[in-house]
Amino acid sequence: MGIQPFSAAQGERDLIVAVDCSTTASKAVVFDAMGRAVATARSPIATANPGIGLHEQNPEDWWTATRTALRQVMFDVDSSRIRSVTVTTQRETFVCLDADNRPVRPAIVWMDTRARELVMELGSDRVHQISGRPADNTPSIYKIAWLVRNEQPEMQRTDKIGDVGAYLNHRLCRRWVSSVASADSLGLLDMQTRTWSPDLVDLVGIDAATLPEVVAPGTVVGCVDQAVANETALPVGTPIVAGAGDGQCAAIGAGVLHPGSAYLNMGTAVVSGTVSPTYTWDRAFRTVAGADGESFLLEAFSSSGTYLVNWFRERFGVAGAAGQDVTAEELMEAAAAQLPPGAEGLLALPYWNAAQTPYWDPAARGAVVGFTGRHGRAHLYRALLEGIAFEIKLEISGLDSAVSAAPKAISVTGGGSRSAVWMQIVADTLNRPITLCHEPETTALGAAMIGSVAAGVHPSLDAASKNMCRSARTIVPDPGNAEKYHTLWEIYRGLYDSLKPTLNALSSLR
């Protein structure tokens, strides 16, 4: 399966719209053929936490935020120049709809941990081999099984189960369809056949007919009708292109299309990945469908990325300086920058949302060790940044050993990449250069690249990458700091094993 180009008149229709519906907001970004963002709009999405470990969203909010962002961005461009719209979304979050396409319950978000007992009960090497995903809280499969066991009235009313991409495609063009590189996040897809697995569907106890139709990334799945045009300000007839999950789009937006390179997405979750031309599976990573519909991404990740940073700022951050143009974030960054590597002996195990690569422990919890009376808020903030950096080192090390040749280049994107302090910590911890992407909305750029090929703006993803991807600057490690982090690494790498019994025992108290 590959990208299926759509035939369109050339002329002045030279703009591509990308919708990036993430965990926190839906963004609409309009790109030109050279990858320049000519207009951007954003509308927030709320997440509810109705109990410990529970994370839910109203699916209608995905559409409301997307519709709002599209209407806003259309005011800033000549809509007659729009060639296509491509959607990329948060992965592993899913929705259940009734026969009238109304949600039967709130959507369950990827970071939700309600099904951790079922992860341990149903997770197996066989499930991993088929789905590409080690047993973990994140894939939808276990939470769907939880709903089947615990919410039978709602599940009996359920007519459709799908990922965020399927839901938004349905709202945009009335078709229950998803890209293979988005639908795979449900954890029910056979990664080798790219079809729904009868074994996995039977395992959770649902009807495969409820799941979306699966197509290759880049397939034109429909067009904007008058009703949707009225809601979004998109021109009637605009092609809707099946995109890919946010991780896959971030990869190609960072220029990672072939083996030998890697990307690091510093988003709500921290995800690193590299390309494999063939299907392989291992506990050192999870395997997802590539945005080209043919290759695979080997991904290692931690669900506590900027989620954890934002958690700290919301609960322990400081107010911005009165009368000065300084934000609370900048104050915390400046304070952390004044501290030495290791935050004067404070280490953080950043498992606020369980542990993923390489431990896959749904019962893990976060921990901070080494406190003394000297430590304060800035020490804790730096320790959290460093803890995530150590997890990135675990991720990259696993990927290096999984491929025949370790990736030589690491391209970094995501909101966390805007922190100069954090990026230097990552480079020093890895003791290797990292290159920042020029475009801050790299995930949206990847979706636009898919759309540009489908619309005939570029003949291939390689051509789109050559024309649309650019790098900003490269951060090189400080040799002295790298040596200090190597010493700390020898301590950190044993921390999880030492604390695992305690963390699991605390988790079992729920």
Side-chain angles (χ1 to χ4, degrees):
M1 292 187 293
I3 289 180
Q4 304 300 311
F6 132 85
S7 178
Q10 300 296 317
E12 294 300 317
R13 295 178 63 200
D14 58 346
L15 299 180
I16 307 296
V17 179
V19 170
D20 176 11
C21 189
S22 70
T23 312
T24 57
S26 191
K27 290 165 281 188
V29 188
V30 181
F31 291 93
D32 66 14
M34 299 307 294
R36 293 179 290 246
V38 299
T40 303
R42 179 184 187 276
S43 184
I45 297 171
T47 299
N49 304 110
I52 296 175
L54 306 184
H55 299 267
E56 298 180 341
Q57 291 181 339
N58 180 355
E60 295 288 345
D61 289 348
W62 303 337
W63 175 242
T64 300
T66 297
R67 178 184 61 197
T68 300
L70 283 169
R71 288 192 66 85
Q72 291 175 352
V73 83
M74 285 297 103
F75 282 122
D76 296 327
V77 298
D78 178 357
S79 62
S80 68
R81 296 171 60 189
I82 301 301
R83 292 289 293 273
S84 66
V85 177
T86 307
V87 173
T88 179
T89 65
Q90 56 171 305
R91 298 178 292 179
E92 277 102 8
T93 297
F94 69 96
V95 61
C96 298
L97 303 178
D98 64 18
D100 295 319
N101 299 314
R102 294 175 301 199
V104 302
R105 67 170 327 281
I108 298 181
V109 180
W110 57 270
M111 65 183 78
D112 190 283
T113 60
R114 76 186 68 200
R116 66 186 184 89
E117 286 83 7
L118 286 178
V119 173
M120 292 181 279
E121 176 187 335
L122 302 179
S124 66
D125 286 345
R126 178 60 178 160
V127 172
H128 182 182
Q129 181 183 15
I130 296 172
S131 69
R133 286 166 164 77
D136 176 52
N137 284 318
T138 314
S140 312
I141 177 174
Y142 304 106
K143 283 163 273 196
I144 295 173
W146 187 94
L147 291 178
V148 170
R149 297 192 184 190
N150 293 277
E151 295 188 6
Q152 263 300 308
E154 289 82 0
M155 295 308 290
Q156 288 173 0
R157 291 168 44 221
T158 295
D159 182 70
K160 298 180 180 69
I161 302 172
D163 57 287
V164 184
Y167 180 83
L168 290 180
N169 286 336
H170 189 261
R171 296 303 296 258
L172 284 165
C173 67
R174 322 298 185 188
R175 187 175 170 192
W176 190 237
V177 60
S178 185
S179 154
V180 65
S182 182
D184 65 338
S185 71
L186 294 179
L188 295 168
L189 207 67
D190 184 321
M191 293 300 293
Q192 297 189 73
T193 65
R194 292 180 171 88
T195 59
W196 298 117
S197 165
D199 289 347
L200 300 185
V201 169
D202 288 345
L203 180 69
V204 299
I206 62 171
D207 185 346
T210 63
L211 300 171
E213 176 188 357
V214 177
V215 299
T219 301
V220 175
V221 295
C223 295
V224 171
D225 63 19
Q226 187 62 61
V228 171
N230 292 340
E231 289 195 78
T232 63
L234 289 167
V236 173
T238 303
I240 305 301
V241 180
D246 53 7
Q248 290 99 319
C249 283
I252 63 172
V256 177
L257 280 79
H258 303 289
S261 58
Y263 76 96
L264 173 61
N265 189 2
M266 303 290 292
T268 306
V270 169
V271 184
S272 55
T274 191
V275 178
S276 173
T278 57
Y279 181 72
T280 184
W281 60 285
D282 191 274
R283 287 183 61 81
F285 49 83
R286 64 181 184 183
T287 309
V288 303
D292 61 359
E294 298 174 351
S295 65
F296 299 90
L297 278 183
L298 311 183
E299 288 187 342
F301 84 108
S302 167
S303 61
S304 293
T306 59
Y307 166 89
L308 183 52
V309 175
N310 292 334
W311 168 87
F312 176 85
R313 290 171 182 161
E314 290 170 2
R315 288 163 174 77
F316 305 106
V318 296
Q324 300 181 30
D325 189 21
V326 180
T327 67
E329 179 178 345
E330 289 169 336
L331 287 174
M332 291 307 304
E333 292 278 304
Q338 298 303 310
L339 295 172
E344 297 186 310
L346 200 63
L347 283 178
L349 198 64
Y351 299 151
W352 267 237
N353 290 311
Q356 285 78 42
T357 312
Y359 305 118
W360 307 106
D361 182 358
R365 285 193 171 195
V368 183
V369 299
F371 270 117
T372 70
R374 178 174 177 77
H375 293 120
R377 182 160 35 200
H379 292 86
L380 177 55
Y381 184 67
R382 183 172 183 112
L384 293 176
L385 299 182
E386 292 176 337
I388 297 171
F390 283 132
E391 289 300 302
I392 292 170
K393 186 177 178 71
L394 272 177
E395 294 179 9
I396 298 295
S397 298
L399 293 176
D400 284 349
S401 61
V403 293
S404 57
K408 296 179 180 178
I410 300 177
S411 298
V412 186
T413 183
S417 67
R418 293 192 286 268
S419 167
V421 174
W422 201 3
M423 291 303 93
Q424 188 63 57
I425 288 172
V426 171
D428 292 344
T429 303
L430 295 176
N431 195 21
R432 58 202 290 182
I434 57 176
T435 299
L436 305 185
C437 296
H438 178 270
E439 172 54 54
E441 301 294 349
T442 314
T443 299
L445 176 61
M449 290 166 59
I450 294 173
S452 75
V453 178
V457 174
H458 296 297
S460 66
L461 277 179
D462 281 327
S465 178
K466 184 177 181 180
N467 284 280
M468 300 176 76
C469 295
R470 292 183 296 280
S471 299
R473 63 190 181 93
T474 296
I475 300 173
V476 298
D478 177 282
N481 288 346
E483 184 176 352
K484 294 174 183 176
Y485 280 121
H486 179 72
T487 300
L488 289 165
W489 168 249
E490 295 302 319
I491 302 171
Y492 181 87
R493 65 193 307 181
L495 197 57
Y496 167 76
D497 288 334
S498 298
L499 293 178
K500 179 180 178 179
T502 300
L503 301 179
N504 287 186
L506 288 172
S507 188
S508 69
L509 295 177
R510 290 196 300 181

